[in-house]
Amino acid sequence: MQKSALQTARQSYQPKMPKALASSLRLAEGAKTESVADQEEIRRLFPNTYGMPVITLEQAEETAIQSEPIAVGVILSGGQAPGGHNVISGLFDGLKRLNPKNRLYGFLGGPSGLIDGKYIELTADIIDEYRNTGGFDIIGSGRTKLEETWQFDNGIEVCKRLGISAIVIIGGDDSNTNACVLAEYYLQKQCGIQVIGCPKTIDGDLKNTMIETSFGFDTACKVYSELIGNIQRDANSAKKYWHFIRLMGRSASHIALECALQTQPNICLISEEVEAKQMTLQQIVAQVADVIAARGNAGYNFGTVLIPEGIIEFIPEMRVLIQELNDLLASGKGLDGLTPTSAALYASLPEAIAKQLTMDRDPHGNVQVSLIETEKLLIEMVSKRLAEMKAEGKYTGKFSAQHHFFGYEGRCAVPSNFDADYCYSIGQTAIMLIAEGKTGYMALVRNLTKPAEEWIAGGVPITMMMNMERRNGKMKPVIQKALVDLNGRPFLYLDAHRAEWADTTPTYVFPGPIQYYGPDEVCNRPTKTLLLEKEGHC
Ligand code: FBP
C-alpha cells in the first residue's frame, strides 16, 4: 500500500507513556467499590465482579515476570475512533514485553468475529504497518451486540481452540457493558477467560469520576474544529452565508461544545440545555433567528451555527414523536397509530426529515441520529421565521445558508499526539491487568492534563459505572452515559461567552490542522473540555 509522507514519518513515532508503565510495576488496590446507582440490583446481577477495588499501577523495584506464554484476543466494537490501532500496538508491545512467546489475535469485523471464530494473528509486521495510524481497518469493527448465552458459549469454544485466556474489548458504553456481562458469565462458568474493556468513542460520553475521557474525542474534535475554523474564515471573507454545521456525537453534545470552545462560533446549540429548558422546536428556531436578525440588521449577513447531531431527540415534542414511531415501527403497525399531536407535528415536518425519522433503528434500538439532517430542518424553519420577521419590520438583512455535517471526516483521522499516547498507554495497561489476573475491569489512564510521564495507569471495575436503565421496554444494567453537565465548567464557559460570540465584534478562532511535530502548546494540548474540567481554565 502506498503511504503518505506523514504516514511514513508517524510509523516511527514512539508514544509517550506514564513513568510507571515504562518501568517495573506493582499493583495497588484501593477500597471496595459500589455502582453509581441501583447498587442492590447491580450487585445481584454481577455477584462475581461487583465491588472489586480500583487498581493503580505503581513503579516497583522489580516486576514478577509472567513465565507461561499466553494468548489474548482483541475486538474493536462500534464506531471508529482515532487511536484504536495504538491500543492494539500497546497490547502487542505489552504482551511481548512480558514474554516474547505471548500471542495476540484480532477478531475480525467486531464482536461477531469472536462468535463466528473469524480472526487473524497479529504479528510484528502487521502491527508495525498500523502504528500511529487512524481507522479500525487492522481487523475491522462491527456493532453486533454480545448479549446472548449462546454467543458467550461460542466465544469459549473459539478461545479454547486458540488457547486464548483473555479478551480485550475496545468499545463505548454499550460494548463495555457487554464486556462486563461477558466477564461475569466467564467467571460463573469458571472457564478461565478474563475480559478487559477499553474506553473508546469520539462522542466523549464514556467518562466519569475515574475515566477522564474516551479516546478519539480529542482527535475528532480537533479535525472538526479545523474545518469549522476554515468555514468561519470563509464566512468572514465572503460575508454572505450563514453556515449551519451539524456535528456527530449521538445523544451527548460534548463534541459540539468542545468545537465551540475551540472556534467560538456565533451560535452553539446544546441538546442537554434544550431538554433542561424544555424548549420547543419553535423556540429553538426563534432563538437562532433572533441572533441572525440582530447581526443582519447591523449589516453582518453571515455566521456559524453548531448543532449537535442528537438534538432532535432532546426536543420534548420530537422525543414523544420518535418514541411513538419507535413503538409503531417495532410492532409493524402503520403511522396511523400516531397520537393527534404527534401526527400533526409529523405532518408539519419537511418530507425528507419525516422520512429520515422512520428509517431503520440501530441494533440497540436507537434512532440513527447521524442520518437525520437537522441542519436542513433548521435552515428551512429559520428562513421562514426570518421572512415573518421581515414582514413585521423586525429584520432588514439577507439570509442565505449553507449546510454541513461533520462526523465520518473525523473518526479515522491520524490520531493526535494526545490520542496516540493515551491509546498506547491504555493498551499497555490492559495487558498489565491481564497479567495480574484481573477481569471485569476497564483499563484506566488518568491525570491527562499533565505530561504523559505523570499520567496514572490502572483499572476500574466496570460494575462501578453501572446503573439500571430501560432498554427496549426492559430494565437492564448499563454503563451510565455522561451527557453535558450544565453545571460543569465547559458549559458554563460557553454560557458566559456566547452573547459576545453572537455579537458583531469578530471573535472567531481558527485552530488550523492538528500538528504532530513542534512545540508542546501546539502539539500536545488536551481538549479544552478536559482542561476546564481538570484545571479550571483553558
Ligand atoms: P460509538 O458510540 O460506537 O463510538 O459511535 C460513535 C458514532 O460515530 C456516533 O457519533 C454516531 O451517531 C454513530 O457512531 C454513527 O454510526 P454508524 O457508524 O453506524 O453510522
Side-chain angles (χ1 to χ4, degrees), residues 78-79 143 200-203 248-250 309 369-370 408 411:
R143 291 199 184 274
K200 170 237 74 167
T201 177
I202 61 160
D203 300 350
M248 241 186 199
R250 216 186 270 284
E309 79 169 356
V369 280
S370 61
Y408 300 99
R411 297 201 313 184

Side-chain angles (χ1 to χ4, degrees), residues 190-210:
Q190 299 196 339
C191 63
I193 303 171
Q194 300 159 249
V195 185
I196 298 291
C198 295
K200 170 237 74 167
T201 177
I202 61 160
D203 300 350
D205 56 4
L206 175 44
K207 64 174 175 181
N208 47 53
T209 49
M210 300 308 298

